[in-house]
Amino acid sequence: FQYFFALFSKNKKTADNFDPIKILNDETKLVVYIKKFGAGKAISQIERLASTEEECHSMTHLVGKHAYQIFKNNAFQWHAFAFNSACNSGFFHGAMDELRSGGDSVEGICDNSPVSLKCAHDVGHSLMAAGGYKLYEVLKKCEALSKKALDQEECFRGTFMENADGGINSEMGHGSKYLSGDPLYPCTEVPKKYKAACWQFTMGRFKILYGANYEAMLMACARIPAPYNRPCFSSVGGVMALAYPKNHA
């Protein structure tokens, strides 16, 4: 109850009377603010005041950390409604980092969310990024996340998407050993139950490895077994249509 009261607090005048700059520079005051007015209000202030996306992400990451400490799993229940993509999902990443560092289980954390699929997808992303890109370990946690097959599958998707996209971002300290010069890896090696989710994110690797070499992309798509190859051909066709808008032939 405390979480939902804080999240939907209508006492905006009192909340706005706080000096946001002082609050955001003092973790003790930030915790008090989150308890009283909710994480959503704190994030709104951060979005307004942060000068860069990196600063915004790190500050909302801190809000997520304290929100999990205060509200535990309830912090995830409305994450997409209140602060889904704010500051590159800093809130969600911070909450997930705190859950993971405390050794808590992800089981059921998205069950009461009205956007459980989005929540599950973000769990996959966050577990990969926070856990050192340990692919198979994260996939197992996705299976424990929910008894719903759709939620598990969406967590798999978030995991493979993070592996393909975030796993190459060395500037952010990320790096995955489950990437190689073969754009179909690791999909060629993962167990069958993960393949559908994995094959969906080969296009990102194609762009990195092949640039605008569409023939190489199509040849790689041909190596993917049916029916998983259909989305691959479709994606390459879409990229080609954008590259040659007046000459689709």
Side-chain angles (χ1 to χ4, degrees), residues 198-207 211 214 217-218 221 224 228-243:
C198 189
W199 289 124
Q200 291 183 27
F201 298 101
T202 53
M203 193 64 212
R205 294 295 293 156
F206 286 4
K207 291 179 180 178
Y214 304 118
M217 292 183 187
L218 291 170
C221 286
I224 300 175
Y228 306 121
N229 57 2
R230 293 176 185 174
C232 183
F233 284 119
S234 218
S235 296
V236 174
V239 172
M240 293 174 68
L242 290 173

Side-chain angles (χ1 to χ4, degrees), residues 62-122:
L62 190 61
V63 173
K65 167 189 169 181
H66 290 300
Y68 181 77
Q69 290 176 348
I70 298 165
F71 305 119
K72 294 298 181 182
N73 284 359
N74 284 338
F76 298 101
Q77 291 183 9
W78 293 91
H79 89 278
F81 172 78
F83 17 70
N84 164 31
S85 47
C87 308
N88 198 22
S89 300
F91 169 87
F92 196 81
H93 292 171
M96 283 299 301
D97 281 357
E98 190 63 18
L99 176 150
R100 182 180 162 278
S101 67
D104 295 340
S105 171
V106 298
E107 182 178 357
I109 67 171
C110 296
D111 285 355
N112 294 321
S113 171
V115 282
S116 63
L117 291 178
K118 175 59 180 171
C119 181
H121 185 87
D122 284 356

Side-chain angles (χ1 to χ4, degrees), residues 165-183:
D165 297 340
I168 58 167
N169 195 342
S170 57
E171 292 181 1
M172 294 292 290
H174 296 173
S176 173
K177 67 179 182 180
Y178 297 100
L179 295 172
S180 73
D182 181 355

